[in-house]
Amino acid sequence: MSQVTSHSPVVEPKVKPKFEAFDFRKYQPFAFAPNLPDRTWPNKTIEKAPTWASVDLRDGNQALIDPMTIEQKMQFFKLLVEVGFKEIEIGFPSAAQVEFDFARKLIEENHIPDDVTIQVLVQAREHLIERTFEALQGVRRAVVHVYNSTSKVQRDKVYAKDLEEIKEIAIKGAKMLQDHAAKHPDTEWVFQYSPESFSQTEPDYAVQVVNAVNEVWKPEEGQQVIINLPATVESSMPNVYADQVEYFCRHVKNREHIIVSLHTHNDRGSAVAAAELGVLAGADRIEGTLLGNGERTGNMDIMIMAMNLYSQGVDPELDLSDMSRIVQIVSECNNLPVHPRHPYVGELVFTAFSGSHQDAIKKSLDYNEKNSEATQNIWDVAYLPIDPAHIGRSYQDVVRINSQSGKGGVAYILQRNYGFNLPRWMQIDFSRVVQQKAEDVARELKNEEILEAFESTYLQNSGYELLDHNINNKGGEVEFNGQMTLNGETIDISGHGNGPLSSFIDGVARHTGKQLHIINYSEHAISPEFTYGEEDEAQSDKTNAKAAAYIQLNVDGEIYSGIGTHTSTVSAMLKGALSALSQAF
């Protein structure tokens, strides 16, 4: 008879994954930098936008967890056309049926505008090239992009081929493109060749391979040719890549008859910089994606590079004004979030939490408004490289308030959103209120919460109200007579001064026996678009501007600030005084 016994489950010890030591000695300095002591690109500037080529629908699409459907591709294609792209790589028709079908849909349903050229990618292999031309049958104009890798690491370790064998692959690919294109004479064909991993290829060898390809295509005899120089894996500083581009442009044959294109990746975080310096080095054309989607850390972000040109007064020749819509479509089609600090498009890129930043932004904007003729409407604002309004962002995006914010940011919110232009001494007073509230809730404050704190501190003077009163000017001296409620008690006020405010304060001082002095006073009209203040009984037209008055009083040696709003300036200043008194008594 067998005996059955029960045991506690055995818990296997967790095995920690083995990691290689963090050892920099495993890596070597970049080995493919050309000798270019007389480089010229550092002395140049970009004065015109390059030709842009979007590769969102191919390079970007292949890097997605879930590749786009035909419907998503169509939505994306239409967006690229609206933005202004004239060259759009639509896919890899020989790689998948959905890619082939999308090409046919664009062509057969006439979705390609006359001024837009589609581009497709294909490896230098006969059956793939044949399938590619089948997908493009009937197209008006197209770029056929053929490539093979030329880098040393791929020659040695992936293909196990020598220099001549790799070059022969490129030559055969060029001949196959030429032969298939000849079968479709009604289409205007542009040939494009990429020595893939150009940046990791010996500079002289890259030139040799491209020269061999061009000996087949003969761009000097009229064939349109694009030579694309990819930093397939970004492995050097952007200045080294620029040297590679300039070296190539100097040594390649028939440079004047070819278009030099760049395709940079972002492995070192410098794809945009590399592309910009590459244009200085002689490139004519840039491939990239919107928001930089692509393999590993992504492609060069065309949005960033285009907006960089825009911020320097160079027409990017792309319409990025409806940036929020562009970002929404791109992120939905790619199913990828946008980082809140993504340049130009992130939620927080125009946002200042720092008090000193907020103050500088407010002062810059105020200066520009007051000196529009002197500034000639040229944008020059501290901490804001471009005007957010130019890409569809509101000024509410610029300044947001938390416990780190200062008086300038709070003043900016109140001025831009609610019409209150606080004088400096009032900014200091209210910033303390806002900072305390932000610390209490331990988070960013919404604009509505800032307004609520402002109103409850200065504009809701419960128990303090000015009743019937008369103000008379008697030979230069102003006499005030009236009634007011003070802590729920109705009292008579009578005082003298050189104006309505000083005579009212004199009357309050006489009645209370306190030492009252006006320290600061400021006023301004509130734009009709804002709704603060009460109307005079005889004034029913809400389009009339209202007044805001800011009062600072010394009450027995203590400082108190108040604000009043009204359609009447005199009434506004008296209400401001009541606001300050309500905090003092």
Side-chain angles (χ1 to χ4, degrees):
M1 185 177 67
S2 63
Q3 183 178 5
V4 178
T5 59
S6 62
H7 298 279
S8 299
V10 177
V11 178
E12 296 290 339
K14 292 184 178 180
V15 179
K16 293 183 178 181
K18 293 182 179 180
F19 293 104
E20 291 285 343
F22 190 73
D23 188 357
F24 67 90
R25 292 169 296 183
K26 198 168 185 176
Y27 305 94
Q28 295 183 359
F30 186 71
F32 304 103
N35 182 22
L36 201 68
D38 58 341
R39 61 183 61 83
T40 64
W41 61 262
N43 296 321
K44 298 179 181 179
T45 57
I46 301 177
E47 298 177 347
K48 186 181 185 301
T51 298
W52 303 109
S54 162
V55 295
D56 290 90
L57 300 177
R58 198 279 304 170
D59 201 351
N61 187 52
Q62 77 178 31
L64 298 175
I65 298 173
D66 298 312
M68 285 180 273
T69 63
I70 286 182
E71 291 72 21
Q72 288 175 315
K73 275 200 160 195
M74 183 61 69
Q75 183 185 22
F76 210 135
F77 179 82
K78 291 179 178 179
L79 173 68
L80 294 170
V81 171
E82 290 176 17
V83 168
F85 284 94
K86 303 304 180 187
E87 297 184 10
I88 302 172
E89 189 169 79
I90 62 167
F92 204 139
S94 63
Q97 188 63 42
V98 67
E99 301 284 281
F100 185 95
D101 292 343
F102 180 62
R104 296 311 307 156
K105 182 179 181 67
L106 288 176
I107 296 167
E108 292 172 3
E109 297 180 7
N110 297 315
H111 291 293
I112 307 170
D114 290 342
D115 63 345
V116 172
T117 299
I118 62 169
Q119 173 176 311
V120 295
L121 184 71
V122 63
Q123 291 174 322
R125 300 170 67 184
E126 177 70 35
H127 70 288
L128 299 179
I129 291 175
E130 182 177 2
R131 179 69 167 165
T132 298
F133 277 89
E134 182 183 346
L136 293 174
Q137 187 170 358
V139 71
R140 182 191 61 81
R141 184 175 190 268
V143 176
V144 183
H145 181 187
V146 67
Y147 71 97
N148 68 298
S149 184
T150 59
S151 68
K152 188 177 187 308
V153 65
Q154 296 224 43
R155 294 195 315 262
D156 294 347
K157 299 182 178 181
V158 180
Y159 301 112
K161 294 184 181 296
D162 62 23
L163 297 172
E164 286 302 315
E165 289 174 312
I166 292 294
K167 184 168 68 173
E168 188 60 30
I169 293 174
I171 293 171
K172 287 182 178 179
K175 289 178 178 178
M176 285 186 283
L177 250 65
Q178 192 175 54
D179 292 342
H180 281 279
K183 300 175 185 178
H184 305 276
D186 293 336
T187 295
E188 181 182 350
W189 297 107
V190 180
F191 297 157
Q192 176 169 328
Y193 173 70
S194 285
E196 187 194 5
S197 300
F198 160 81
S199 59
Q200 292 177 304
T201 301
E202 300 89 334
D204 287 325
Y205 180 63
V207 170
Q208 289 177 28
V209 174
V210 170
N211 283 341
V213 168
N214 282 336
E215 285 178 11
V216 176
W217 287 343
K218 299 188 183 306
E220 71 276 11
E221 294 182 6
Q223 173 61 54
Q224 298 176 74
V225 171
I226 300 170
I227 299 299
N228 193 51
L229 307 178
T232 307
V233 177
E234 185 180 40
S235 51
S236 72
M237 292 174 64
N239 63 299
V240 175
Y241 179 70
D243 280 354
Q244 291 176 306
V245 173
E246 182 167 341
Y247 185 91
F248 177 88
C249 290
R250 287 190 195 183
H251 292 85
V252 71
K253 294 179 181 178
N254 296 308
R255 171 64 184 92
E256 68 274 20
H257 297 295
I258 64 175
I259 294 171
V260 173
S261 176
L262 306 181
H263 184 118
T264 58
H265 278 255
N266 203 42
D267 299 88
R268 291 170 56 97
S270 303
V272 171
E276 290 177 330
L277 298 189
V279 170
L280 295 179
D284 312 296
R285 180 179 183 266
I286 294 294
E287 293 188 347
T289 61
L290 299 180
L291 299 181
N293 175 45
E295 298 283 8
R296 303 178 309 281
T297 55
N299 283 280
M300 203 284 299
D301 188 336
I302 288 181
M303 272 191 181
I304 295 178
M305 184 169 174
M307 289 305 302
N308 285 354
L309 295 179
Y310 181 84
S311 71
Q312 300 298 305
V314 177
D315 182 1
E317 299 179 16
L318 294 175
D319 183 1
L320 301 174
S321 56
D322 195 359
M323 189 70 81
S324 296
R325 176 174 172 269
I326 295 170
V327 171
Q328 179 183 356
I329 292 175
V330 173
S331 58
E332 287 178 355
C333 288
N334 288 341
N335 195 25
L336 291 173
V338 178
H339 195 284
R341 299 291 183 187
H342 191 107
Y344 296 106
V345 303
E347 179 188 359
L348 298 177
V349 295
F350 298 116
T351 300
F353 289 106
S354 162
S356 61
H357 289 201
Q358 293 170 348
D359 187 57
I361 290 171
K362 179 182 183 300
K363 288 177 178 176
S364 295
L365 292 171
D366 289 345
Y367 179 92
N368 288 351
E369 288 181 3
K370 295 176 182 177
N371 300 275
S372 57
E373 292 186 7
T375 60
Q376 297 180 332
N377 291 320
I378 298 298
W379 185 258
D380 184 26
V381 174
Y383 300 109
L384 293 179
I386 67 165
D387 186 343
H390 286 182
I391 56 173
R393 299 285 290 270
S394 71
Y395 282 104
Q396 293 180 358
D397 299 318
V398 174
V399 173
R400 290 161 62 170
I401 305 301
N402 60 20
S403 61
Q404 302 300 309
S405 304
K407 60 185 183 301
V410 175
Y412 178 92
I413 295 294
L414 291 174
Q415 179 181 0
R416 294 284 171 174
N417 298 336
Y418 306 111
F420 291 101
N421 188 8
L422 274 61
R424 181 176 175 80
W425 47 268
M426 180 59 78
Q427 294 176 25
I428 295 171
D429 189 87
F430 185 51
S431 67
R432 299 190 187 101
V433 175
V434 172
Q435 186 173 31
Q436 184 60 56
K437 184 174 181 63
E439 290 176 352
D440 290 343
V441 299
R443 60 169 170 80
E444 175 189 353
L445 295 181
K446 299 177 182 178
N447 290 353
E448 297 79 8
E449 292 175 306
I450 295 170
L451 177 63
E452 180 184 357
F454 183 74
E455 291 177 329
S456 62
T457 302
Y458 302 112
L459 299 177
Q460 297 173 0
N461 309 317
S462 178
Y464 296 79
E465 183 180 0
L466 187 61
L467 305 175
D468 292 337
H469 62 275
N470 293 304
I471 299 173
N472 299 309
N473 192 332
K474 296 183 176 181
E477 183 179 64
V478 176
E479 181 181 75
F480 181 95
N481 291 289
Q483 290 183 319
M484 64 172 288
T485 58
L486 187 64
N487 290 323
E489 177 187 359
T490 300
I491 60 174
D492 294 320
I493 296 294
S494 179
H496 302 270
N498 57 11
L501 179 60
S502 60
S503 60
F504 171 66
I505 293 299
D506 178 65
V508 175
R510 290 173 183 271
H511 181 87
T512 61
K514 293 183 177 293
Q515 296 291 320
L516 295 175
H517 303 286
I518 301 170
I519 300 175
N520 284 300
Y521 173 79
S522 181
E523 67 179 47
H524 66 80
I526 300 178
S527 173
E529 64 194 90
F530 301 105
T531 58
Y532 297 96
E534 301 172 1
E535 297 180 68
D536 290 326
E537 292 181 2
Q539 189 82 294
S540 60
D541 184 2
K542 285 185 179 292
T543 63
N544 281 278
K546 301 172 178 64
Y550 307 91
I551 313 293
Q552 192 171 57
L553 299 178
N554 183 316
V555 182
D556 286 345
E558 298 292 330
I559 307 300
Y560 301 95
S561 300
I563 301 173
T565 62
H566 203 275
T567 52
S568 161
T569 300
V570 172
S571 296
M573 69 173 65
L574 295 177
K575 291 183 67 177
L578 283 173
S579 173
L581 292 170
S582 70
Q583 298 175 60
F585 296 157

